[in-house]
Amino acid sequence: MITGKNYIGNQLSAKGTKVYKTFNPKLNIENSNIFTEATSEEINEAVNLASTAFKTFRTLSGKRKAEFLNAIADEILALDDKLIKTYCSETGLPEGRAKGERGRTVGQLRSFAELIAEGSWVEATIDTAQPDREPMPKSDIRKMLIPLGPVVVFGASNFPLAYSTAGGDTAAALASGCPIIVKSHPMHAGTGELVASAIVKAAEKTGMPNGVFSNINSSGIEVGAQLVKHAGVKAVGFTGSIKGGRALYDLAAQREEPIPVFAEMGSINPVVILPKALNNRGKALAKTYAGSITLGTGQFCTNPGLLLGIKGDALSSFIQDLSNEIVKIEPSCMLHPNIIGAYENHKKNAISQPNLTVVADYESDVQTNYARQTIATVEGKTFLENPTLHQEVFGPFSVVVQCEDKNQLEEIISQLEGQLTGTLIADDNEVANYPEIISAMQNRVGRIIYNGVPTGVEVCPSMVHGGPYPSSTDSRFTAVGIHSIKRWVRPFSYQDWPNDLLPNELKNENPLGISRLVNNAQTTKAL
Amino acid sequence: MITGKNYIGNQLSAKGTKVYKTFNPKLNIENSNIFTEATSEEINEAVNLASTAFKTFRTLSGKRKAEFLNAIADEILALDDKLIKTYCSETGLPEGRAKGERGRTVGQLRSFAELIAEGSWVEATIDTAQPDREPMPKSDIRKMLIPLGPVVVFGASNFPLAYSTAGGDTAAALASGCPIIVKSHPMHAGTGELVASAIVKAAEKTGMPNGVFSNINSSGIEVGAQLVKHAGVKAVGFTGSIKGGRALYDLAAQREEPIPVFAEMGSINPVVILPKALNNRGKALAKTYAGSITLGTGQFCTNPGLLLGIKGDALSSFIQDLSNEIVKIEPSCMLHPNIIGAYENHKKNAISQPNLTVVADYESDVQTNYARQTIATVEGKTFLENPTLHQEVFGPFSVVVQCEDKNQLEEIISQLEGQLTGTLIADDNEVANYPEIISAMQNRVGRIIYNGVPTGVEVCPSMVHGGPYPSSTDSRFTAVGIHSIKRWVRPFSYQDWPNDLLPNELKNENPLGISRLVNNAQTTKAL
């Protein structure tokens, strides 16, 4: 049952008076549940509980934390149809997507569980003593990764499951030993509460300390700001707009004790289509890209918002083909009236720019909250001179830039802001002629794709989801995959520490059997 | 020869009019060389050269970059006596220290050279394609660490070699493939120029691109600020005061594109002495700590500025013994009149706090710029209530806090700011009774030491030199040891990229023979 209350640790709580509802964009009506925004007092309580829980949670073994993560996955699955129905009613997304995202979420939880149950992720590093070294004896020093402390996670509008309550940030931070306070996304507060109830149930079943998880409701920005400014909070995870992410980053940087903010923000994901590929398979590419641009109503952070080619007949034909293909696709529903409102506004602003031509615009009537897909085109020079065209239009909208030549193409790529992805569409025999393009692209993105589409972010160890600012606030980390755990940890050294007081990861006998760097050689052996 | 000019890339340049000299604190006279502060134009040129150099430097193999680092080490050694003499004349530090620090600097360069010549540090991670996977085929994705771009390194006053021009930050960032612009520390600009000349010579001998290194003179704060705000700069390394580090952090956070600042700042390095240890070996501990507090005139960031014990006869005797021991030590010279001036001021401010007792103060006459060592003591309550006593006094000054009991001791530790180190002095049979103390200390520091002294930072893979703010601005990284390279890199993914266009680290055949995570198993085998 959805209560509309906050979870302050394991307790449901609704002391506030400010309330709000979620919205069904497909039916264009409010949902019935009433959510109560957390009070300042409730926020303080959640953070204080998290700080206390941290003292024990961080000392638990990887196996115990893995039990907790697996139990969360089990409890999410046990929510069954109720979760899927709530998800759909709060997002307008189809059931298939809901189930797919649930699978991804459960998969992420289980992959972190596997990682920490095995245990080598802590990067245990041991340098043994050399008491006879001259001129100074060398101490025994041992290092491992330890958790930072309570982490605040902001739910994402476009991924109610995989990047929200029990999503990637939460899974990674819990795995590392950090308690979590989720600032639930107001557009899917019911989905959030259901998942929160699964986490709380899992925490209780596996004996986790109260406060290891809290779920905070809020429809405005004050609650999030209070959380980020709270001295007890030690790191922040965010997925959303540049404006929102930057605001949190600024608050965190201005604290007396600045804390890391890992915000995954906007991206227009440039796609470069080289001439031979355009010539040889322009029609097929047009069809593929019409699909990628409209996938999930364009509501992916890896949506291809910018296609770059070199002027000519092949590019003109491609633009025509893409236009023909994209209007064949049935428009679909966006997540919320605010999201479609923003889409319409940003698109209107983009297409009102001088020297821009709209080449495809879905014209038939659509249901309320459904987005019309649009393709526009500009010359390279126009694009270079107008930064407005470099901004993301969140939704099924793309601009095709017709560059004069290879040099202008390189210049445009070099001047783009940081991006999550860059894609190169090429024939194998032409790539070698464009080393500067590849080099320029690599310098602006976190992931580079060859003859594919940027949408679809595989959850695997080799994935980088992140990139130069503003695609993320800290390009030194990925937000997806097991290595995303590194956002929430710090290295810690023990010098000459007695063996029986060391954590198991660093004991002589290597009781966990993990892989360690011992005197500069990687080994699973005991000392 | 010391010219007093900047190195803008490989070229000596002195277009400015603002000049300054360094100072010999031991002789209390100015040194003769005249240094010219860099102009805005020279700074822009250095950054632009670095940006251009980055395009080729980042593509060089680990072996080529290793040649460069080893050549820097060779050229530093070739400076021979000239370097040592300049170092001593600009710091007042003894020749033995100069040679020791040179050894450390050369050792750091060679250890990074070894790391990158071997090559596994890039954390190559490969997930091969699964074209038949249902419901969606899986792409081939490969990840490795790549450099961020031009890095600005600020020289440290107290380590003219090991944490300055070719020190740890520079060695790590060059190893990763980032060009370096050093903002030379004005107190040892001559030492800085000599080392810079060694780097430039090494760069030329090993065919590195011009701009891979620049050395910028400045005696004020404007030049550093301009560097940090420059759009071409992608990261900053700093070792120094909290005030200085925080100012740079704030500038970097306020940029349109915020960049990471890794600042290693102040620390008072708490030392907890448990009762049995005090009882059984108080006299020996007093002697050891008198040495640690005065080592290098207290000018180490790991200097023990705070000793914590539980009130009683043993602690009183220890305070007496420490007082007796410390005044036996001959005072030594500080780095600069400004440094001793700050020491005197901060010490005066500390000892003027209410309810503080000075128990030892070196009283005999000392030479100009020599520091008198001082020990003070306060009750736990006084310390808890007065944040001024929590601040670092850079120099040979320590406060002994007499806590009421174990609980007050834990409270004090919990309320300390972040620290580089924490030390526990204990007898083996009493440690088990103080789990909360150990836990509280672990939460506030980057390295925890058992029955030792915090001074002496071993350069080895297991070392953490860093910690919670303000000991560093980003506790997720260490400033010392090979893993400090991770401050200057970001992960990068290739999706479905053609094998022959991949970097060698990620090619099927594993031509470098490095260790890689392939489909979740660590291996050096080819695919």
Side-chain angles (χ1 to χ4, degrees), chain A residues 54-55 58-59 114 123 125-127 133 137-148 234 246 249-250 252-262 410 414 417 422-424 428 431-432 438-456 458 460-465 467-470 473-478 482-483 486-498 501 503 517 520 522, chain B residues 54-55 58-59 114 123 125-127 133 137-148 234 246 249-250 252-262 410 414 417 422-424 428 431-432 438-456 458 460-465 467-470 473-478 482-483 486-498 501 503 517 520 522:
Chain A
F54 182 53
K55 293 185 187 182
R58 71 189 177 91
T59 66
E114 199 182 328
E123 297 179 1
T125 306
I126 297 175
D127 293 289
R133 190 182 65 173
K138 183 183 168 306
S139 295
D140 179 292
I141 311 183
R142 306 181 183 211
K143 178 173 82 173
M144 63 180 280
L145 298 173
I146 64 170
L148 291 177
K234 299 303 177 190
R246 179 64 189 249
Y249 175 87
D250 287 343
Q254 288 155 15
R255 287 170 48 128
E256 194 180 316
E257 177 196 355
I259 53 173
V261 171
F262 188 89
E410 185 194 347
S414 306
E417 292 187 311
T423 301
L424 184 73
D428 288 348
V431 191
I438 298 174
S439 172
M441 191 138 72
Q442 187 177 35
N443 209 24
R444 302 312 305 137
V445 311
R447 174 168 57 110
I448 198 166
I449 297 138
Y450 186 74
N451 284 333
V453 291
T455 42
E458 187 74 33
C460 62
S462 56
M463 174 54 65
V464 174
H465 192 61
Y469 186 89
T473 44
D474 195 340
S475 70
R476 294 174 297 175
F477 301 92
T478 171
I482 48 173
H483 296 152
K486 294 185 189 174
R487 294 172 293 172
W488 319 120
V489 293
R490 62 183 175 101
F492 184 84
S493 282
Y494 295 85
Q495 182 168 323
D496 290 329
W497 211 249
L501 292 181
L517 187 71
N520 247 325
Q522 203 70 34
Chain B
F54 182 53
K55 291 185 187 182
R58 71 190 177 90
T59 66
E114 198 182 329
E123 297 178 2
T125 306
I126 297 176
D127 292 290
R133 189 183 64 173
K138 183 184 167 307
S139 295
D140 179 292
I141 311 182
R142 306 182 183 210
K143 177 174 81 173
M144 63 180 279
L145 299 173
I146 65 170
L148 290 177
K234 299 303 178 190
R246 180 63 190 249
Y249 174 87
D250 287 344
Q254 287 156 13
R255 286 168 49 127
E256 195 179 317
E257 177 196 356
I259 53 172
V261 171
F262 188 88
E410 185 194 348
S414 306
E417 291 187 311
T423 301
L424 185 71
D428 288 351
V431 190
I438 298 174
S439 171
M441 192 139 70
Q442 186 177 37
N443 209 25
R444 302 314 304 136
V445 310
R447 174 169 56 111
I448 200 167
I449 297 138
Y450 186 73
N451 284 333
V453 292
T455 41
E458 186 73 34
C460 62
S462 57
M463 175 54 66
V464 174
H465 192 62
Y469 186 88
T473 45
D474 195 340
S475 69
R476 294 174 298 175
F477 301 92
T478 172
I482 48 174
H483 296 151
K486 294 185 187 174
R487 293 173 294 172
W488 318 119
V489 292
R490 63 183 174 101
F492 184 84
S493 282
Y494 296 85
Q495 182 168 323
D496 290 331
W497 210 250
L501 292 181
L517 188 72
N520 247 325
Q522 203 69 33

Side-chain angles (χ1 to χ4, degrees), chain B residues 1-3 5-7 9-10 12 68 71-72 74-76 78-79 82-83 165-166 189-205 213-215:
Chain B
M1 203 200 63
I2 295 170
T3 67
K5 297 182 178 178
N6 307 279
Y7 273 104
N10 295 350
L12 284 166
F68 178 32
I72 296 173
D74 295 341
E75 295 297 336
I76 287 173
L79 291 168
K82 185 176 188 59
L83 178 65
T165 323
T191 307
E193 189 191 326
L194 287 175
V195 175
S197 74
I199 299 176
V200 166
K201 210 176 268 186
E204 286 174 339
K205 278 190 179 172
F213 176 80
S214 289
N215 186 53

